Amino acid sequence: MKEANRRAVEIFEEFKVRNAECIDANEKKQNEIWDHILDLYAQLKALGDERWDLVAQRVEETEKEDNRKAEYNKMRLVHRDHYNTLLNLRDKADDSLDLLKAVEDYLNKASEDVYIKSEQIDIELNGLLLDEQKNYLSVFRRYYLTCGELKYKKEKRQQAIDKTVRKHDEQIEIAKETLDPNSRRYKEAQTDALLLREEIQKKIGIISNKMDKACDDFEETEHSLNAAGVSFLHPSIELQEINVDRRANLNVVAKKYATKDKDEIDVEDDVIGVINSETQKAKSTGGLSSSMRPQSPTHSRRGIKRYVLQSRTRQEVFQHTDRHEEY
């Protein structure tokens, strides 16, 4: 009995050991299985995430493809409409060829007519321009000659005033010697003459400026007339010729009066010489000649002048006789 219990105890111990070993092996196996399960789960999760990403990428690509197809379909519709429009335009262009040819012929004919008409108008305008330039030349000539005549007269007036001023100077100097009561009037007249001379000088300057401006304005027309072959005498040259004639005629008159004045001055010099000679003679002889007696100034002066003129006449006769004899 003890042997049987001991044997049972041994069997139980063996079973306990084997059971413990089985439990350890089972636990180890379970752990290995759980580790494998965890690995598989991790792999499954990674594959699931990857699948999710692939699905999302596929969805995105699908949407892009759908959008591309939609855009492509729209573009096809646009291209088809554009193609139809081009076909319609080509048909209309083909229909417009005859019209364009007709318009081209019309424009060519119209351009030729316009060119011919423009040439005619150009010729007419050139003729009108030439006539207008000739009229301008006529107006400029009258204006320039009128201003030139006015300037010439003003200048001669100025010269006359200069002579008047010199005459007043002479009158003032003579008045000092002759106790002429009009000396103040001579000075006032001289002042008025100087003011008038200054005014005339300003007018001469204004007229000269106007004549210069008129010449400058006429210069372009002058070139045009010369280019057109129109021969004309420039008004400035014509004015110079007219002024030469005017000055020559006036110089003849001035010479006539200047000769008369010179003769009177020469006679006065001779009278002064005779009076001086008689005075010196009377001083040397101590006698009083008849010409030095108190007489009427007119009577005394006329007698001396008559004597001088007779002496000069005799001298001229003698000179003429000598020249005749020499001849």
Side-chain angles (χ1 to χ4, degrees), residues 143-144 146-162 193-213 239 243 247:
Y143 176 80
Y144 195 82
T146 302
C147 290
E149 181 181 3
L150 181 60
K151 180 184 176 184
Y152 172 80
K153 292 181 178 179
K154 293 292 183 182
E155 289 175 346
K156 290 304 176 183
R157 176 61 176 162
Q158 186 180 15
Q159 293 177 4
I161 292 174
D162 292 337
L194 291 174
L195 293 175
L196 180 59
R197 184 188 184 283
E198 183 179 356
E199 182 180 357
I200 292 176
Q201 181 66 32
K202 292 181 181 179
K203 291 181 179 179
I204 291 174
I206 294 172
I207 295 172
S208 299
N209 292 333
K210 289 183 177 180
M211 293 175 68
D212 292 338
K213 185 178 183 303
L239 178 62
N243 285 340
R247 295 173 73 92

mmCIF file of all heavy atoms in Angstrom, residues 143-144 146-162 193-213 239 243 247:
data_model
loop_
_atom_site.group_PDB
_atom_site.id
_atom_site.type_symbol
_atom_site.label_atom_id
_atom_site.label_comp_id
_atom_site.label_asym_id
_atom_site.label_seq_id
_atom_site.Cartn_x
_atom_site.Cartn_y
_atom_site.Cartn_z
ATOM 1 N N TYR A 143 3.831 150.012 -100.885
ATOM 2 C CA TYR A 143 4.087 150.293 -99.469
ATOM 3 C C TYR A 143 5.526 150.734 -99.254
ATOM 4 O O TYR A 143 5.789 151.727 -98.553
ATOM 5 C CB TYR A 143 3.783 149.038 -98.652
ATOM 6 C CG TYR A 143 4.096 149.168 -97.177
ATOM 7 C CD1 TYR A 143 3.223 149.827 -96.310
ATOM 8 C CD2 TYR A 143 5.265 148.624 -96.643
ATOM 9 C CE1 TYR A 143 3.506 149.943 -94.959
ATOM 10 C CE2 TYR A 143 5.553 148.743 -95.296
ATOM 11 C CZ TYR A 143 4.670 149.395 -94.460
ATOM 12 O OH TYR A 143 4.955 149.521 -93.128
ATOM 13 N N TYR A 144 6.468 150.009 -99.866
ATOM 14 C CA TYR A 144 7.888 150.313 -99.653
ATOM 15 C C TYR A 144 8.240 151.658 -100.267
ATOM 16 O O TYR A 144 8.971 152.455 -99.658
ATOM 17 C CB TYR A 144 8.741 149.201 -100.269
ATOM 18 C CG TYR A 144 10.179 149.224 -99.811
ATOM 19 C CD1 TYR A 144 10.558 148.650 -98.604
ATOM 20 C CD2 TYR A 144 11.169 149.829 -100.585
ATOM 21 C CE1 TYR A 144 11.869 148.670 -98.172
ATOM 22 C CE2 TYR A 144 12.487 149.852 -100.160
ATOM 23 C CZ TYR A 144 12.833 149.274 -98.949
ATOM 24 O OH TYR A 144 14.135 149.303 -98.527
ATOM 25 N N THR A 146 6.173 154.135 -100.834
ATOM 26 C CA THR A 146 5.517 155.188 -100.044
ATOM 27 C C THR A 146 6.303 155.468 -98.764
ATOM 28 O O THR A 146 6.548 156.627 -98.411
ATOM 29 C CB THR A 146 4.081 154.769 -99.699
ATOM 30 O OG1 THR A 146 3.352 154.517 -100.914
ATOM 31 C CG2 THR A 146 3.374 155.860 -98.911
ATOM 32 N N CYS A 147 6.694 154.381 -98.069
ATOM 33 C CA CYS A 147 7.496 154.575 -96.862
ATOM 34 C C CYS A 147 8.842 155.216 -97.197
ATOM 35 O O CYS A 147 9.333 156.078 -96.458
ATOM 36 C CB CYS A 147 7.720 153.230 -96.167
ATOM 37 S SG CYS A 147 6.235 152.517 -95.401
ATOM 38 N N GLY A 148 9.433 154.780 -98.327
ATOM 39 C CA GLY A 148 10.709 155.368 -98.721
ATOM 40 C C GLY A 148 10.578 156.849 -99.034
ATOM 41 O O GLY A 148 11.446 157.650 -98.668
ATOM 42 N N GLU A 149 9.486 157.213 -99.719
ATOM 43 C CA GLU A 149 9.261 158.633 -100.014
ATOM 44 C C GLU A 149 9.057 159.424 -98.725
ATOM 45 O O GLU A 149 9.615 160.527 -98.564
ATOM 46 C CB GLU A 149 8.038 158.779 -100.917
ATOM 47 C CG GLU A 149 7.731 160.230 -101.300
ATOM 48 C CD GLU A 149 6.499 160.339 -102.180
ATOM 49 O OE1 GLU A 149 5.860 159.302 -102.436
ATOM 50 O OE2 GLU A 149 6.169 161.462 -102.599
ATOM 51 N N LEU A 150 8.256 158.836 -97.795
ATOM 52 C CA LEU A 150 8.024 159.522 -96.526
ATOM 53 C C LEU A 150 9.326 159.650 -95.739
ATOM 54 O O LEU A 150 9.607 160.708 -95.156
ATOM 55 C CB LEU A 150 6.987 158.751 -95.711
ATOM 56 C CG LEU A 150 6.606 159.355 -94.350
ATOM 57 C CD1 LEU A 150 6.027 160.747 -94.519
ATOM 58 C CD2 LEU A 150 5.605 158.444 -93.633
ATOM 59 N N LYS A 151 10.131 158.573 -95.715
ATOM 60 C CA LYS A 151 11.413 158.621 -95.015
ATOM 61 C C LYS A 151 12.332 159.663 -95.647
ATOM 62 O O LYS A 151 13.004 160.433 -94.940
ATOM 63 C CB LYS A 151 12.064 157.245 -95.051
ATOM 64 C CG LYS A 151 13.413 157.210 -94.332
ATOM 65 C CD LYS A 151 14.072 155.855 -94.466
ATOM 66 C CE LYS A 151 15.448 155.868 -93.825
ATOM 67 N NZ LYS A 151 16.160 154.584 -94.010
ATOM 68 N N TYR A 152 12.356 159.717 -96.997
ATOM 69 C CA TYR A 152 13.202 160.695 -97.694
ATOM 70 C C TYR A 152 12.782 162.120 -97.319
ATOM 71 O O TYR A 152 13.625 162.975 -97.020
ATOM 72 C CB TYR A 152 13.089 160.470 -99.196
ATOM 73 C CG TYR A 152 13.767 161.538 -100.024
ATOM 74 C CD1 TYR A 152 15.137 161.529 -100.229
ATOM 75 C CD2 TYR A 152 13.020 162.570 -100.602
ATOM 76 C CE1 TYR A 152 15.756 162.512 -100.989
ATOM 77 C CE2 TYR A 152 13.635 163.555 -101.354
ATOM 78 C CZ TYR A 152 15.002 163.522 -101.555
ATOM 79 O OH TYR A 152 15.609 164.494 -102.303
ATOM 80 N N LYS A 153 11.473 162.352 -97.322
ATOM 81 C CA LYS A 153 10.996 163.694 -96.987
ATOM 82 C C LYS A 153 11.293 164.040 -95.536
ATOM 83 O O LYS A 153 11.638 165.183 -95.214
ATOM 84 C CB LYS A 153 9.498 163.798 -97.281
ATOM 85 C CG LYS A 153 9.172 163.747 -98.768
ATOM 86 C CD LYS A 153 7.687 163.877 -99.017
ATOM 87 C CE LYS A 153 7.370 163.870 -100.528
ATOM 88 N NZ LYS A 153 5.928 163.978 -100.787
ATOM 89 N N LYS A 154 11.130 163.043 -94.655
ATOM 90 C CA LYS A 154 11.452 163.284 -93.244
ATOM 91 C C LYS A 154 12.940 163.607 -93.076
ATOM 92 O O LYS A 154 13.308 164.500 -92.298
ATOM 93 C CB LYS A 154 11.071 162.066 -92.403
ATOM 94 C CG LYS A 154 9.581 161.796 -92.301
ATOM 95 C CD LYS A 154 8.873 162.866 -91.515
ATOM 96 C CE LYS A 154 7.392 162.524 -91.364
ATOM 97 N NZ LYS A 154 6.651 163.589 -90.631
ATOM 98 N N GLU A 155 13.781 162.864 -93.793
ATOM 99 C CA GLU A 155 15.221 163.126 -93.687
ATOM 100 C C GLU A 155 15.566 164.508 -94.228
ATOM 101 O O GLU A 155 16.394 165.235 -93.642
ATOM 102 C CB GLU A 155 15.997 162.044 -94.444
ATOM 103 C CG GLU A 155 15.957 160.676 -93.760
ATOM 104 C CD GLU A 155 16.625 159.610 -94.593
ATOM 105 O OE1 GLU A 155 16.877 159.876 -95.800
ATOM 106 O OE2 GLU A 155 16.881 158.507 -94.073
ATOM 107 N N LYS A 156 14.942 164.869 -95.360
ATOM 108 C CA LYS A 156 15.191 166.207 -95.886
ATOM 109 C C LYS A 156 14.638 167.271 -94.953
ATOM 110 O O LYS A 156 15.224 168.349 -94.795
ATOM 111 C CB LYS A 156 14.562 166.334 -97.281
ATOM 112 C CG LYS A 156 15.270 165.505 -98.336
ATOM 113 C CD LYS A 156 16.744 165.875 -98.403
ATOM 114 C CE LYS A 156 17.513 165.011 -99.360
ATOM 115 N NZ LYS A 156 18.957 165.324 -99.374
ATOM 116 N N ARG A 157 13.496 166.945 -94.326
ATOM 117 C CA ARG A 157 12.950 167.859 -93.329
ATOM 118 C C ARG A 157 13.912 168.001 -92.167
ATOM 119 O O ARG A 157 14.118 169.102 -91.628
ATOM 120 C CB ARG A 157 11.591 167.343 -92.852
ATOM 121 C CG ARG A 157 10.947 168.144 -91.734
ATOM 122 C CD ARG A 157 10.676 169.563 -92.132
ATOM 123 N NE ARG A 157 9.975 170.290 -91.090
ATOM 124 C CZ ARG A 157 9.896 171.596 -91.009
ATOM 125 N NH1 ARG A 157 10.497 172.363 -91.943
ATOM 126 N NH2 ARG A 157 9.239 172.183 -90.037
ATOM 127 N N GLN A 158 14.527 166.889 -91.766
ATOM 128 C CA GLN A 158 15.499 166.935 -90.688
ATOM 129 C C GLN A 158 16.711 167.774 -91.082
ATOM 130 O O GLN A 158 17.228 168.555 -90.274
ATOM 131 C CB GLN A 158 15.935 165.510 -90.334
ATOM 132 C CG GLN A 158 16.845 165.426 -89.127
ATOM 133 C CD GLN A 158 17.244 164.000 -88.828
ATOM 134 O OE1 GLN A 158 17.081 163.123 -89.651
ATOM 135 N NE2 GLN A 158 17.784 163.776 -87.649
ATOM 136 N N GLN A 159 17.177 167.614 -92.326
ATOM 137 C CA GLN A 159 18.293 168.432 -92.791
ATOM 138 C C GLN A 159 17.918 169.915 -92.812
ATOM 139 O O GLN A 159 18.734 170.777 -92.461
ATOM 140 C CB GLN A 159 18.728 167.975 -94.176
ATOM 141 C CG GLN A 159 19.343 166.584 -94.206
ATOM 142 C CD GLN A 159 19.709 166.130 -95.598
ATOM 143 O OE1 GLN A 159 19.566 166.898 -96.564
ATOM 144 N NE2 GLN A 159 20.169 164.894 -95.722
ATOM 145 N N ALA A 160 16.669 170.197 -93.239
ATOM 146 C CA ALA A 160 16.220 171.594 -93.230
ATOM 147 C C ALA A 160 16.185 172.153 -91.812
ATOM 148 O O ALA A 160 16.544 173.313 -91.572
ATOM 149 C CB ALA A 160 14.841 171.701 -93.881
ATOM 150 N N ILE A 161 15.756 171.300 -90.861
ATOM 151 C CA ILE A 161 15.726 171.745 -89.464
ATOM 152 C C ILE A 161 17.145 171.982 -88.969
ATOM 153 O O ILE A 161 17.409 172.928 -88.213
ATOM 154 C CB ILE A 161 14.988 170.716 -88.593
ATOM 155 C CG1 ILE A 161 13.496 170.694 -88.968
ATOM 156 C CG2 ILE A 161 15.143 171.038 -87.115
ATOM 157 C CD1 ILE A 161 12.705 169.615 -88.259
ATOM 158 N N ASP A 162 18.095 171.106 -89.389
ATOM 159 C CA ASP A 162 19.488 171.325 -89.009
ATOM 160 C C ASP A 162 19.988 172.671 -89.529
ATOM 161 O O ASP A 162 20.682 173.408 -88.818
ATOM 162 C CB ASP A 162 20.359 170.195 -89.550
ATOM 163 C CG ASP A 162 20.072 168.867 -88.860
ATOM 164 O OD1 ASP A 162 19.558 168.906 -87.725
ATOM 165 O OD2 ASP A 162 20.358 167.807 -89.452
ATOM 166 N N ALA A 193 12.851 173.930 -82.639
ATOM 167 C CA ALA A 193 13.396 173.220 -83.803
ATOM 168 C C ALA A 193 14.121 171.944 -83.369
ATOM 169 O O ALA A 193 14.006 170.898 -84.032
ATOM 170 C CB ALA A 193 14.353 174.128 -84.572
ATOM 171 N N LEU A 194 14.845 171.994 -82.256
ATOM 172 C CA LEU A 194 15.529 170.797 -81.768
ATOM 173 C C LEU A 194 14.532 169.729 -81.320
ATOM 174 O O LEU A 194 14.740 168.532 -81.567
ATOM 175 C CB LEU A 194 16.461 171.164 -80.614
ATOM 176 C CG LEU A 194 17.691 172.002 -80.994
ATOM 177 C CD1 LEU A 194 18.450 172.428 -79.744
ATOM 178 C CD2 LEU A 194 18.607 171.212 -81.926
ATOM 179 N N LEU A 195 13.445 170.142 -80.659
ATOM 180 C CA LEU A 195 12.411 169.177 -80.268
ATOM 181 C C LEU A 195 11.755 168.555 -81.492
ATOM 182 O O LEU A 195 11.498 167.336 -81.537
ATOM 183 C CB LEU A 195 11.359 169.866 -79.391
ATOM 184 C CG LEU A 195 11.831 170.345 -78.017
ATOM 185 C CD1 LEU A 195 10.717 171.115 -77.304
ATOM 186 C CD2 LEU A 195 12.284 169.162 -77.164
ATOM 187 N N LEU A 196 11.479 169.413 -82.489
ATOM 188 C CA LEU A 196 10.888 168.897 -83.718
ATOM 189 C C LEU A 196 11.849 167.939 -84.416
ATOM 190 O O LEU A 196 11.425 166.905 -84.952
ATOM 191 C CB LEU A 196 10.525 170.063 -84.639
ATOM 192 C CG LEU A 196 9.878 169.690 -85.985
ATOM 193 C CD1 LEU A 196 8.583 168.918 -85.758
ATOM 194 C CD2 LEU A 196 9.616 170.948 -86.814
ATOM 195 N N ARG A 197 13.134 168.257 -84.387
ATOM 196 C CA ARG A 197 14.126 167.373 -85.004
ATOM 197 C C ARG A 197 14.152 166.015 -84.303
ATOM 198 O O ARG A 197 14.237 164.954 -84.956
ATOM 199 C CB ARG A 197 15.512 168.008 -84.940
ATOM 200 C CG ARG A 197 16.584 167.205 -85.646
ATOM 201 C CD ARG A 197 17.973 167.781 -85.400
ATOM 202 N NE ARG A 197 18.979 167.073 -86.160
ATOM 203 C CZ ARG A 197 19.461 165.881 -85.834
ATOM 204 N NH1 ARG A 197 19.011 165.277 -84.737
ATOM 205 N NH2 ARG A 197 20.384 165.300 -86.595
ATOM 206 N N GLU A 198 14.079 166.013 -82.977
ATOM 207 C CA GLU A 198 14.066 164.751 -82.235
ATOM 208 C C GLU A 198 12.827 163.930 -82.567
ATOM 209 O O GLU A 198 12.901 162.704 -82.741
ATOM 210 C CB GLU A 198 14.123 165.045 -80.739
ATOM 211 C CG GLU A 198 14.194 163.777 -79.875
ATOM 212 C CD GLU A 198 14.282 164.112 -78.404
ATOM 213 O OE1 GLU A 198 14.357 165.326 -78.067
ATOM 214 O OE2 GLU A 198 14.281 163.168 -77.586
ATOM 215 N N GLU A 199 11.678 164.606 -82.671
ATOM 216 C CA GLU A 199 10.443 163.902 -83.026
ATOM 217 C C GLU A 199 10.540 163.296 -84.425
ATOM 218 O O GLU A 199 10.140 162.145 -84.650
ATOM 219 C CB GLU A 199 9.266 164.870 -82.939
ATOM 220 C CG GLU A 199 7.920 164.222 -83.255
ATOM 221 C CD GLU A 199 6.767 165.216 -83.157
ATOM 222 O OE1 GLU A 199 7.038 166.377 -82.785
ATOM 223 O OE2 GLU A 199 5.632 164.832 -83.475
ATOM 224 N N ILE A 200 11.079 164.086 -85.354
ATOM 225 C CA ILE A 200 11.236 163.578 -86.726
ATOM 226 C C ILE A 200 12.224 162.418 -86.752
ATOM 227 O O ILE A 200 12.028 161.438 -87.488
ATOM 228 C CB ILE A 200 11.688 164.720 -87.661
ATOM 229 C CG1 ILE A 200 10.551 165.738 -87.815
ATOM 230 C CG2 ILE A 200 12.093 164.177 -89.016
ATOM 231 C CD1 ILE A 200 10.932 166.954 -88.634
ATOM 232 N N GLN A 201 13.281 162.491 -85.924
ATOM 233 C CA GLN A 201 14.257 161.400 -85.863
ATOM 234 C C GLN A 201 13.580 160.102 -85.389
ATOM 235 O O GLN A 201 13.854 159.018 -85.919
ATOM 236 C CB GLN A 201 15.397 161.783 -84.917
ATOM 237 C CG GLN A 201 16.492 160.736 -84.794
ATOM 238 C CD GLN A 201 17.242 160.540 -86.086
ATOM 239 O OE1 GLN A 201 17.405 161.477 -86.864
ATOM 240 N NE2 GLN A 201 17.687 159.315 -86.348
ATOM 241 N N LYS A 202 12.680 160.197 -84.426
ATOM 242 C CA LYS A 202 11.950 159.015 -83.955
ATOM 243 C C LYS A 202 11.065 158.455 -85.062
ATOM 244 O O LYS A 202 10.999 157.234 -85.270
ATOM 245 C CB LYS A 202 11.101 159.371 -82.734
ATOM 246 C CG LYS A 202 11.909 159.696 -81.491
ATOM 247 C CD LYS A 202 10.999 160.027 -80.317
ATOM 248 C CE LYS A 202 11.802 160.369 -79.072
ATOM 249 N NZ LYS A 202 10.917 160.724 -77.926
ATOM 250 N N LYS A 203 10.390 159.342 -85.790
ATOM 251 C CA LYS A 203 9.537 158.877 -86.888
ATOM 252 C C LYS A 203 10.362 158.211 -87.977
ATOM 253 O O LYS A 203 9.944 157.204 -88.562
ATOM 254 C CB LYS A 203 8.748 160.057 -87.465
ATOM 255 C CG LYS A 203 7.695 160.599 -86.517
ATOM 256 C CD LYS A 203 6.922 161.748 -87.152
ATOM 257 C CE LYS A 203 5.845 162.276 -86.212
ATOM 258 N NZ LYS A 203 5.094 163.412 -86.820
ATOM 259 N N ILE A 204 11.543 158.768 -88.245
ATOM 260 C CA ILE A 204 12.424 158.141 -89.246
ATOM 261 C C ILE A 204 12.820 156.742 -88.796
ATOM 262 O O ILE A 204 12.848 155.792 -89.595
ATOM 263 C CB ILE A 204 13.663 159.023 -89.493
ATOM 264 C CG1 ILE A 204 13.265 160.322 -90.205
ATOM 265 C CG2 ILE A 204 14.699 158.274 -90.319
ATOM 266 C CD1 ILE A 204 14.400 161.311 -90.351
ATOM 267 N N GLY A 205 13.114 156.583 -87.495
ATOM 268 C CA GLY A 205 13.460 155.259 -86.978
ATOM 269 C C GLY A 205 12.303 154.277 -87.101
ATOM 270 O O GLY A 205 12.490 153.111 -87.479
ATOM 271 N N ILE A 206 11.076 154.758 -86.811
ATOM 272 C CA ILE A 206 9.896 153.890 -86.931
ATOM 273 C C ILE A 206 9.685 153.473 -88.383
ATOM 274 O O ILE A 206 9.428 152.290 -88.685
ATOM 275 C CB ILE A 206 8.650 154.615 -86.380
ATOM 276 C CG1 ILE A 206 8.794 154.837 -84.865
ATOM 277 C CG2 ILE A 206 7.390 153.829 -86.679
ATOM 278 C CD1 ILE A 206 7.699 155.702 -84.271
ATOM 279 N N ILE A 207 9.808 154.421 -89.293
ATOM 280 C CA ILE A 207 9.626 154.107 -90.720
ATOM 281 C C ILE A 207 10.698 153.127 -91.185
ATOM 282 O O ILE A 207 10.411 152.173 -91.930
ATOM 283 C CB ILE A 207 9.660 155.400 -91.552
ATOM 284 C CG1 ILE A 207 8.453 156.290 -91.199
ATOM 285 C CG2 ILE A 207 9.636 155.085 -93.041
ATOM 286 C CD1 ILE A 207 8.513 157.670 -91.829
ATOM 287 N N SER A 208 11.942 153.319 -90.740
ATOM 288 C CA SER A 208 13.024 152.408 -91.130
ATOM 289 C C SER A 208 12.759 150.997 -90.619
ATOM 290 O O SER A 208 12.959 150.009 -91.348
ATOM 291 C CB SER A 208 14.359 152.925 -90.589
ATOM 292 O OG SER A 208 14.671 154.201 -91.121
ATOM 293 N N ASN A 209 12.283 150.868 -89.388
ATOM 294 C CA ASN A 209 11.973 149.545 -88.842
ATOM 295 C C ASN A 209 10.848 148.878 -89.631
ATOM 296 O O ASN A 209 10.895 147.670 -89.911
ATOM 297 C CB ASN A 209 11.582 149.659 -87.369
ATOM 298 C CG ASN A 209 12.752 150.071 -86.497
ATOM 299 O OD1 ASN A 209 13.900 149.816 -86.825
ATOM 300 N ND2 ASN A 209 12.460 150.734 -85.385
ATOM 301 N N LYS A 210 9.841 149.653 -89.999
ATOM 302 C CA LYS A 210 8.740 149.090 -90.787
ATOM 303 C C LYS A 210 9.220 148.643 -92.162
ATOM 304 O O LYS A 210 8.811 147.583 -92.671
ATOM 305 C CB LYS A 210 7.615 150.126 -90.932
ATOM 306 C CG LYS A 210 6.845 150.388 -89.643
ATOM 307 C CD LYS A 210 5.704 151.358 -89.878
ATOM 308 C CE LYS A 210 4.897 151.563 -88.602
ATOM 309 N NZ LYS A 210 3.767 152.516 -88.803
ATOM 310 N N MET A 211 10.106 149.426 -92.771
ATOM 311 C CA MET A 211 10.631 149.045 -94.081
ATOM 312 C C MET A 211 11.493 147.783 -93.978
ATOM 313 O O MET A 211 11.404 146.887 -94.836
ATOM 314 C CB MET A 211 11.444 150.196 -94.664
ATOM 315 C CG MET A 211 10.605 151.420 -95.016
ATOM 316 S SD MET A 211 11.594 152.826 -95.583
ATOM 317 C CE MET A 211 12.196 152.201 -97.148
ATOM 318 N N ASP A 212 12.301 147.696 -92.917
ATOM 319 C CA ASP A 212 13.111 146.492 -92.726
ATOM 320 C C ASP A 212 12.224 145.265 -92.502
ATOM 321 O O ASP A 212 12.483 144.182 -93.048
ATOM 322 C CB ASP A 212 14.054 146.675 -91.536
ATOM 323 C CG ASP A 212 15.132 147.721 -91.824
ATOM 324 O OD1 ASP A 212 15.404 147.976 -93.014
ATOM 325 O OD2 ASP A 212 15.686 148.282 -90.856
ATOM 326 N N LYS A 213 11.182 145.414 -91.699
ATOM 327 C CA LYS A 213 10.277 144.293 -91.449
ATOM 328 C C LYS A 213 9.552 143.883 -92.724
ATOM 329 O O LYS A 213 9.361 142.692 -92.996
ATOM 330 C CB LYS A 213 9.263 144.665 -90.374
ATOM 331 C CG LYS A 213 8.351 143.509 -89.970
ATOM 332 C CD LYS A 213 7.406 143.917 -88.866
ATOM 333 C CE LYS A 213 6.550 142.724 -88.424
ATOM 334 N NZ LYS A 213 5.789 142.138 -89.524
ATOM 335 N N LEU A 239 13.584 152.231 -105.273
ATOM 336 C CA LEU A 239 13.566 153.381 -104.367
ATOM 337 C C LEU A 239 14.895 154.131 -104.420
ATOM 338 O O LEU A 239 14.916 155.375 -104.396
ATOM 339 C CB LEU A 239 13.268 152.902 -102.941
ATOM 340 C CG LEU A 239 13.259 153.990 -101.871
ATOM 341 C CD1 LEU A 239 12.174 155.021 -102.151
ATOM 342 C CD2 LEU A 239 13.065 153.365 -100.483
ATOM 343 N N ASN A 243 15.259 157.951 -105.329
ATOM 344 C CA ASN A 243 15.901 158.878 -104.395
ATOM 345 C C ASN A 243 17.090 159.598 -105.046
ATOM 346 O O ASN A 243 17.366 160.763 -104.737
ATOM 347 C CB ASN A 243 16.358 158.135 -103.153
ATOM 348 C CG ASN A 243 15.205 157.792 -102.228
ATOM 349 O OD1 ASN A 243 14.132 158.413 -102.305
ATOM 350 N ND2 ASN A 243 15.394 156.808 -101.372
ATOM 351 N N ARG A 247 17.275 163.484 -105.094
ATOM 352 C CA ARG A 247 18.412 164.202 -104.517
ATOM 353 C C ARG A 247 19.110 165.064 -105.560
ATOM 354 O O ARG A 247 19.587 166.170 -105.259
ATOM 355 C CB ARG A 247 19.396 163.195 -103.920
ATOM 356 C CG ARG A 247 18.848 162.421 -102.744
ATOM 357 C CD ARG A 247 19.808 161.325 -102.310
ATOM 358 N NE ARG A 247 20.962 161.885 -101.631
ATOM 359 C CZ ARG A 247 21.048 162.049 -100.314
ATOM 360 N NH1 ARG A 247 20.037 161.691 -99.547
ATOM 361 N NH2 ARG A 247 22.123 162.570 -99.779
#
